[in-house]
Amino acid sequence: MTQRPVFLSLVLGSTFLIAFGCNSKPAPPTVDNATTDEAAPTFSLAWSEYPSWSVFGVADELGLIDGNAGVQGPIEKEFGVDIELKEAGYDTCLNIFGSGDCDAVCITNMDALIVGESRRGIAVLPTSTSNGADACLVSELVEDIEALKSHKVYGLQGTVSEYCFARCLELAGFNEADFEFTNQDPAIAAQNMQQNSESHQAIMVWNPFVLQTLSDRTDVRVLFDSSQIPGEIVDMVVVGTDSMEKPKADAFVKAVAATFYAVNEELDNPDRGDEVLVALGKKFSNLGLEDMKEVVQQTVFYKSPEEAK
């Protein structure tokens, strides 16, 4: 499962700009993707499986772009660039970006701060924000936040889960130091709760673990979640400042934005929106249509340039 680690100390190494809202609406792919403009520069985008980042993999499947180096889809042709997609685990994507082995990366706003220590970046496109996708789940033994002090809360330390945990406690008037946040992989934490482990009365995880756990145990409920901190956990595309110095880098960024918005238009298409949502689900723990409808309520996409701004 994709991990979304963050570091709670801020590193002043990245520049953050919401730079491009592209109004271009490419036509459905009818051109021959087997040909390419040899003069078109190639830019690479590293992405991992997460709802608004899987959009780029789906765009490749829909034929809006061609993720292979040296081959262009219609959006790439429109902007005169070649986009190479590099799919990997989240941690690997961050390492690829930090080492300069890709031009752009799908990353959370918080992680972009720490990655900036090794490579400066510019945030060019917000893709989504967590609106309930990160949640503290508790059993019936935990009546309220005060009662949570008596139980270990299992979750991955140094991640957006821990950030959300700390912020929600703060908003409720509690001190994070009074609670025991215990480091554990979210998949293991969720599995233990799903199997009714006596030790796991509280976990802090993200989707799909939230949905899976609530589905498996009707006695488990959400104590608090990221909907209480709207706009704080933001998923985005960041481009290296060095890559922005390359010829046609601005066209690459506009092509990435156009690709993202084109898939969002397909999601809103009444004739094929469900089909595209299922395609996204296949790249996000193989979730089906109904689960994905809930996922995109809890991970709210910035579907237009206006929403991005």
Side-chain angles (χ1 to χ4, degrees):
M1 171 57 195
T2 300
Q3 294 184 355
R4 302 157 63 210
V6 318
F7 298 79
L8 301 183
S9 59
L10 303 184
V11 178
L12 301 179
S14 296
T15 302
F16 293 91
L17 300 172
I18 298 176
F20 298 94
C22 181
N23 291 314
S24 175
K25 296 181 180 180
T30 56
V31 299
D32 181 7
N33 287 8
T35 61
T36 189
D37 178 2
E38 292 183 1
T42 298
F43 293 87
S44 55
L45 170 64
W47 68 281
S48 56
E49 291 189 0
Y50 200 68
S52 67
W53 298 337
S54 295
V55 161
F56 298 106
V58 170
D60 177 63
E61 293 179 357
L62 293 176
L64 296 169
I65 61 174
D66 191 300
N68 296 306
V71 187
Q72 291 173 292
I75 292 179
E76 294 161 284
K77 285 179 178 290
E78 178 182 350
F79 289 96
V81 295
D82 176 28
I83 298 175
E84 179 186 6
L85 296 179
K86 295 185 176 183
E87 182 183 1
Y90 185 68
D91 288 344
T92 301
C93 285
L94 269 57
N95 290 333
I96 290 173
F97 180 77
S99 63
D101 290 332
C102 69
D103 295 293
V105 65
C106 293
I107 190 173
T108 66
N109 53 345
M110 302 174 197
D111 288 345
L113 292 170
I114 192 66
V115 171
E117 192 174 38
S118 58
R119 184 185 183 194
R120 292 176 62 84
I122 300 175
V124 296
L125 179 72
T127 59
S128 61
T129 185
S130 181
N131 184 45
D134 298 87
C136 181
L137 305 182
V138 297
S139 73
E140 293 175 328
L141 295 180
V142 183
E143 296 181 0
D144 51 26
I145 295 179
E146 181 66 33
L148 191 63
K149 293 179 180 179
S150 302
H151 299 273
K152 290 183 177 181
V153 181
Y154 292 90
L156 198 61
Q157 290 179 340
T159 70
V160 291
S161 287
E162 186 175 14
Y163 174 86
C164 181
F165 181 74
R167 283 288 289 123
C168 288
L169 290 177
E170 180 184 33
L171 291 174
F174 289 88
N175 186 346
E176 180 191 5
D178 295 331
F179 297 81
E180 189 174 355
F181 193 93
T182 303
N183 188 44
Q184 190 169 62
D185 183 278
I188 297 173
Q191 184 179 44
N192 280 320
M193 177 168 265
Q194 291 162 16
Q195 295 176 350
N196 206 10
S197 170
E198 185 176 347
S199 62
H200 284 63
Q201 302 301 322
I203 62 174
M204 187 78 205
V205 295
W206 55 74
N207 272 332
F209 306 117
V210 173
L211 288 175
Q212 291 170 345
T213 304
L214 292 174
S215 175
D216 287 354
R217 286 190 60 182
T218 58
D219 60 326
V220 166
R221 73 186 191 284
V222 174
L223 186 61
F224 51 75
D225 62 34
S226 56
S227 65
Q228 296 171 237
I229 51 170
E232 292 194 21
I233 300 172
V234 180
D235 311 304
M236 54 176 53
V237 176
V238 168
V239 180
T241 54
D242 53 338
S243 291
M244 287 302 296
E245 298 299 320
K246 295 181 178 181
K248 301 201 74 172
D250 58 337
F252 162 64
V253 174
K254 290 176 183 179
V256 168
T259 300
F260 181 74
Y261 297 135
V263 175
N264 275 283
E265 287 185 7
E266 291 297 314
L267 284 169
D268 287 339
N269 185 326
D271 294 328
R272 62 179 307 191
D274 285 354
E275 177 185 344
V276 177
L277 192 56
V278 168
L280 275 179
K282 289 180 179 178
K283 296 184 177 299
F284 187 56
S285 293
N286 273 322
L287 294 181
L289 178 60
E290 295 307 313
D291 281 338
M292 284 303 297
K293 286 181 178 179
E294 190 168 353
V295 164
V296 294
Q297 294 295 320
Q298 296 176 346
T299 304
V300 178
F301 287 21
Y302 297 115
K303 292 187 173 184
S304 69
E306 292 72 30
E307 291 181 17
K309 292 175 183 177

